[in-house]
Amino acid sequence: MATTLPAFTPMEDSLFLTLCARALDNRSQHPILADVTADEIVRTLDYDYGRFNINTNLMINVALRAKKLDEVVSEFVAHHPEAVGIDLGAGLDTRRIRIAPPATVDWYDVDFPAVIAARERLLHDRANAHGIGADLTQDGWLDNVPSDRPAMIVADGLMAFLAQQEMITLLNRLISHLPSGEIAYNNYTKFTIWAAKHSHGTQSVADLVKSPGFNDPREPERWNPKLKLIKEILLTQEPEVAQFPTALRIYNRLLATSTALSRMGTVVLHFRF
């Protein structure tokens, strides 16, 4: 029997767009992320996914950015098996399940209380997984996170929904609370913010987008002197492009000829602090 969740606010409901994209990727002939659990959740829930207009490009970009973030997280916990993992705006993402960190890593999924309650119903994680139900823009929720261990902080899709000052404040709170670590998230340039507001596939979240976007990957270094850019990951230049359908592969190969053009696509920023 299908599972029905309580009604969500529009912001909370936005999680279903990326959840559905990851599920569709898993059903494709050549999955990028192969998130079996996301597919299982989508099949379990009584939800009208038909209202989304998820084309192949959106599906692939959601899957590939998640994969690149997974790779960053996996490398960090491999070198810091005692780390704390923090997934900001986790939604119903199954990142902790996908990367399977050792039991010595405490993993914290942070999202609105209603979303965390849904996670507890649908995802049966191990003892080292913790849910924090909170508004990320408010103070106090970090009191539940250890402050004496290196941390890997990840955010997938979140930053578009934060005004720039909200993003700056959030990063500063994290850096002040934690002794050291890394932060990785998919960034939005000014063009990708425009695209998110006008593209057919993202119309369901267009009115929720608050970020103005920024083009310089080193911009956050000016917000906090402890932040240092490790890498700008341009998805157009990643090896998985070879798996794309022909038209998308040619389009991404064209964008990959220039960093400026590549920033018209999806970008993952990776910092240390």
Side-chain angles (χ1 to χ4, degrees):
M1 187 171 66
T3 300
T4 302
L5 296 176
F8 282 172
T9 66
M11 183 65 76
E12 293 164 348
D13 202 69
S14 66
L15 70 87
F16 290 107
L17 177 63
T18 48
L19 175 69
C20 188
R22 292 191 295 271
L24 290 173
D25 167 70
N26 187 65
R27 300 175 197 178
S28 65
Q29 187 174 2
H30 301 289
I32 298 293
L33 185 64
D35 190 338
V36 175
T37 307
D39 198 356
E40 291 174 349
I41 293 172
V42 165
R43 294 180 190 277
T44 296
L45 289 178
D46 179 15
Y47 186 85
D48 180 20
Y49 296 100
R51 70 189 188 90
F52 298 132
N53 298 290
I54 300 176
N55 57 30
T56 302
N57 184 51
L58 177 59
M59 176 192 77
I60 286 177
N61 273 282
V62 167
L64 185 52
R65 81 189 190 198
K67 183 178 181 181
K68 294 297 126 177
L69 289 167
D70 285 359
E71 290 173 355
V72 170
V73 176
S74 293
E75 183 175 0
F76 185 88
V77 298
H79 289 92
H80 302 86
E82 79 291 2
V84 169
I86 307 173
D87 196 336
L88 303 173
L92 292 176
D93 198 351
T94 61
R95 177 163 289 107
R96 200 209 63 79
I97 295 173
R98 293 196 302 267
I99 66 172
T104 50
V105 171
D106 275 299
W107 189 268
Y108 293 83
D109 290 299
V110 190
D111 211 312
F112 294 109
V115 176
I116 295 302
R119 288 187 64 88
E120 292 172 352
R121 286 184 63 183
L122 297 166
L123 295 169
H124 306 290
D125 287 340
R126 296 198 300 261
N128 61 335
H130 315 277
I132 299 178
D135 181 340
L136 283 164
T137 64
Q138 301 300 310
D139 201 2
W141 64 267
L142 269 168
D143 295 343
N144 298 296
V145 178
S147 60
D148 58 350
R149 295 155 63 183
M152 180 69 240
I153 303 160
V154 62
D156 189 348
L158 170 71
M159 300 309 186
F161 303 120
L162 298 180
Q164 182 167 295
Q165 188 55 54
E166 290 175 331
M167 183 176 175
I168 293 171
T169 299
L170 175 60
L171 291 175
N172 286 340
R173 283 175 177 159
L174 288 161
I175 293 167
S176 296
H177 181 79
L178 299 159
S180 64
E182 296 180 8
I183 300 172
Y185 60 89
N186 66 300
N187 190 49
Y188 293 87
T189 63
K190 294 181 182 297
F191 174 81
T192 52
I193 287 294
W194 178 88
K197 291 181 177 180
H198 294 89
S199 295
H200 192 53
T202 52
Q203 280 304 296
S204 63
V205 298
D207 291 342
L208 303 173
V209 173
K210 296 166 64 177
S211 171
F214 58 87
N215 297 335
D216 183 356
R218 294 191 178 277
E219 175 69 19
E221 292 182 341
R222 292 186 272 275
W223 301 343
N224 191 303
K226 291 185 178 179
L227 275 177
K228 301 298 177 186
L229 181 69
I230 297 174
K231 187 177 182 181
E232 178 187 25
I233 304 171
L234 304 170
L235 266 58
T236 62
Q237 300 178 11
E238 290 300 295
E240 289 84 359
V241 171
Q243 300 173 233
F244 288 10
T246 302
L248 278 179
R249 184 171 66 251
I250 293 171
Y251 174 68
N252 277 269
R253 294 296 191 209
L254 174 63
L255 295 183
T257 61
S258 159
T259 296
L261 289 175
S262 289
R263 288 176 181 153
M264 294 174 63
T266 303
V267 176
V268 169
L269 297 184
H270 181 196
F271 295 89
R272 71 166 56 92
F273 62 91

